[in-house]
Amino acid sequence: MAKSGTSSLPHNLMAFVNDAVSEQIVWNVIKETNMAYAEACVGTLTDAFSFLKAERSPKILIVDISDAELPLGDIAKIKDLSTPNMAIIAVGSRNEVGLFRDLKSMGVIDYIVKPLNTTLLRTAVEIANGTLKEEISKTGKLIHVVSTVGGAGSTTIAANVGWILANHHYKRTLVMDLDFLYGTTNLLLDIKAENAYLDILESPDKIDDYFAETIMRKCQQRLYYLGGLCDLVRGVQVDEGAFEALMTLLKTQFNYVLVDAQRHVDTINRTSMRKADAFMLLVEMTMASAQNTARMLEYISVEYPNKKISIISNKNGLSSAGALAKESFEDVIGRKIDYTLPLDETITLAAANVGQPVASSDGPLTEVLNEIADEVLGKNDNQAIVNALEQKEGFTFKKLQKQVMNIVLNLIRK
């Protein structure tokens, strides 16, 4: 098993193979290609899983699937634990064309049958290095989180959902604060805002992997924060090209980027919205929030069509003048509210004061936050497909399982 590194920078290559001969072949390739920050060790798939849970994903992962009973499932788990731009090279003992094709269809760079030889492995590594530069479509998901009125809870959602993704689902996650005047996302994560980040917004020539590493703050394993507070008089002069380049880079380095955004339609927020894969709108049961929500829904549907929008109602149970019934609010905005956060001021205020995410404790609020995190992961979409199928006349999921089993048995008999 590889030892945990002390640097926050990723390995260029990490290999887990199950025999000493294969390990030596990998080391030969590392030396021939003069690759720095590379390591090979004798290890199992379990060791690879543990490494990916604890460490930054390497740029290239070589993994031995010789002993895997379900190799495709194990590769799927590796992809689930890694950042989107990690290249995978599989090695194994099964010389099967079908397995090779299945692995390639899952995005594996190459499958090399053991015993390994230096030439084939070096070629695969060189292809992987080229893939990392060319396949810019392999990116993480950016969620643009915004409140329709002040204090509706975008900071709470961004910080807590980010914490859940990193701690419960082992996703490399960045929480990004776009309020440079009065941002408080860092307080929920118990970390100091660093103004070095603001320099990059005015210097497009500084955007690269290593500079980005220096301006991000590590909150916990796999959870990072990016934000800064500018001078209230001077403000910050944002270079649009620099900010767009930064957002593009961050989507290759993280599985999920949760942006605690502002309602202002300025250069920064327009760029975030353009890069976003989905939107979360935080609302309160007031006419002001309903009016703003309706306008934002129309704006997003016109400027950024076909992107998922979730409506999250916050502070429910709070009695105040002008409060609307849920049905009345939905009539105004023309659609249903997706999630309702129960009001629990004691827990939320206490958590904010000590820099501890609400999601780290149990309770009704945490249950809803976990549901929202599941939607970000796409779990709700999968369940919705199953539910839709089961609603069809004469269909149940058990019947589908039985049909699949019958097909398998017939194939075996043949």
Side-chain angles (χ1 to χ4, degrees), residues 118-159:
T118 304
T119 301
L120 284 178
L121 187 60
R122 184 178 63 244
T123 300
V125 169
E126 290 172 349
I127 291 172
N129 270 322
T131 300
L132 292 175
K133 296 175 183 177
E134 295 170 9
E135 291 192 4
I136 56 174
S137 60
K138 289 187 177 180
T139 60
K141 182 184 273 188
L142 188 148
I143 314 297
H144 186 92
V145 187
V146 61
S147 296
T148 58
V149 289
S154 63
T155 300
T156 297
I157 290 295

Side-chain angles (χ1 to χ4, degrees), residues 155-167:
T155 300
T156 297
I157 290 295
N160 282 277
V161 173
W163 187 92
I164 291 171
L165 292 173
N167 286 275

Side-chain angles (χ1 to χ4, degrees), residues 160-213:
N160 282 277
V161 173
W163 187 92
I164 291 171
L165 292 173
N167 286 275
H168 292 177
H169 301 284
Y170 305 105
K171 301 299 183 183
R172 182 171 159 86
T173 306
L174 175 69
V175 178
M176 190 175 186
D177 194 341
L178 295 190
D179 187 348
F180 305 130
L181 291 174
Y182 301 106
T184 58
T185 310
N186 63 302
L187 300 179
L188 296 188
L189 299 173
D190 194 24
I191 199 163
K192 182 181 178 181
E194 291 290 345
N195 292 342
Y197 162 51
L198 302 180
D199 296 337
I200 199 172
L201 301 180
E202 301 177 330
S203 307
D205 58 317
K206 292 183 179 180
I207 306 293
D208 58 50
D209 288 0
Y210 297 103
F211 188 81
E213 288 284 347

Side-chain angles (χ1 to χ4, degrees), residues 99 182 246 354 408 410:
L99 177 60
Y182 301 106
L246 176 62
V354 299
V408 172
N410 289 332

